[in-house]
Amino acid sequence: ENFDFIRRYQTINICRSSLIRRKLGYSILCLKSTFGRGAGRGVFVDGKAHMGDLVAFQPGEIWAKEHLLMEAPDVVAHFEDNEDDDCQTSLRFDGYLLDSRRSPVTVLTQEGSFNPWALGHMVNHPNEGRWPNCQSLMLDFNESLPRELAVYIPNTYARPTTWRSDIFSARG
């Protein structure tokens, strides 16, 4: 029964990917990795992405440094709960942590995972001696992003940051 569920959503994702590839010339798919045994899944470009093209978003909960330094029981419990060995967290140079552990891999129909490019957490590192073929880039989005585009941002704040709370509650 679980395999039928997975097969159904993989079919949906492949159809979406095909439509995107026709429109843009490329799309991405999450499939079994070619890096060898135990590598899990990887992200593959279907078509041809050009230098500078957006290939993937890294989905997940955003944790501000101010919350990571707290010893609040819910914060400690959140990070002690590691369901898998491949801890999919990324620390940005500005102190924000992106926790992708609970981000979907193939099911792109539920709320918060509508973006077909929200597979950046599944991109594997290259094997030793090989160079990566894409580059990470941090993007910050603010409240002025139109609602019709905001639904594609695969990130949520785990807790509102203090600066956001102070600024946006002071709008008057």
Side-chain angles (χ1 to χ4, degrees):
E1 184 177 301
N2 193 26
F3 288 118
D4 289 338
F5 176 78
I6 292 170
R7 186 174 295 125
R8 177 174 176 258
Y9 283 108
Q10 285 178 333
T11 302
I12 291 169
N13 292 337
I14 289 171
C15 290
R16 284 183 179 170
S17 176
S18 177
L19 293 171
I20 292 167
R21 190 183 78 229
R22 275 193 219 146
K23 186 84 170 170
L24 300 178
Y26 75 97
S27 65
I28 61 170
L29 291 166
C30 187
L31 302 168
K32 184 177 179 183
S33 178
T34 58
F35 282 159
R37 296 185 73 182
R41 295 180 182 202
V43 174
F44 296 85
V45 173
D46 182 24
K48 183 171 181 165
H50 298 281
M51 189 178 344
D53 284 346
L54 175 73
V55 177
F57 282 101
Q58 180 113 0
E61 287 185 316
I62 301 167
W63 287 83
K65 185 177 183 178
E66 64 192 77
H67 300 304
L68 295 173
L69 298 176
M70 299 171 60
E71 291 193 32
D74 63 320
V75 175
V76 172
H78 176 82
F79 287 101
E80 284 179 347
D81 178 28
N82 188 5
E83 298 171 359
D84 61 24
D85 294 334
D86 299 324
C87 189
Q88 296 171 329
T89 57
S90 302
L91 184 61
R92 291 175 34 153
F93 76 89
D94 57 2
Y96 284 86
L97 182 123
L98 189 55
D99 184 358
S100 300
R101 295 178 294 165
R102 293 188 180 105
S103 297
V105 177
T106 58
V107 181
L108 297 176
T109 58
Q110 47 188 301
E111 187 176 325
S113 65
F114 186 67
N115 186 335
W117 286 274
L119 296 172
H121 62 304
M122 299 305 297
V123 173
N124 287 323
H125 293 279
N127 287 332
E128 188 175 334
R130 297 193 63 187
W131 290 91
N133 58 4
C134 59
Q135 171 68 45
S136 282
L137 175 69
M138 294 180 290
L139 298 172
D140 293 322
F141 299 96
N142 60 34
E143 282 71 13
S144 67
L145 187 67
R147 173 166 265 146
E148 61 270 12
L149 295 177
V151 297
Y152 292 101
I153 305 303
N155 307 108
T156 57
Y157 280 98
R159 290 181 170 183
T161 58
T162 303
W163 70 266
R164 289 185 79 212
S165 301
D166 292 346
I167 291 171
F168 296 110
S169 63
R171 279 193 209 182

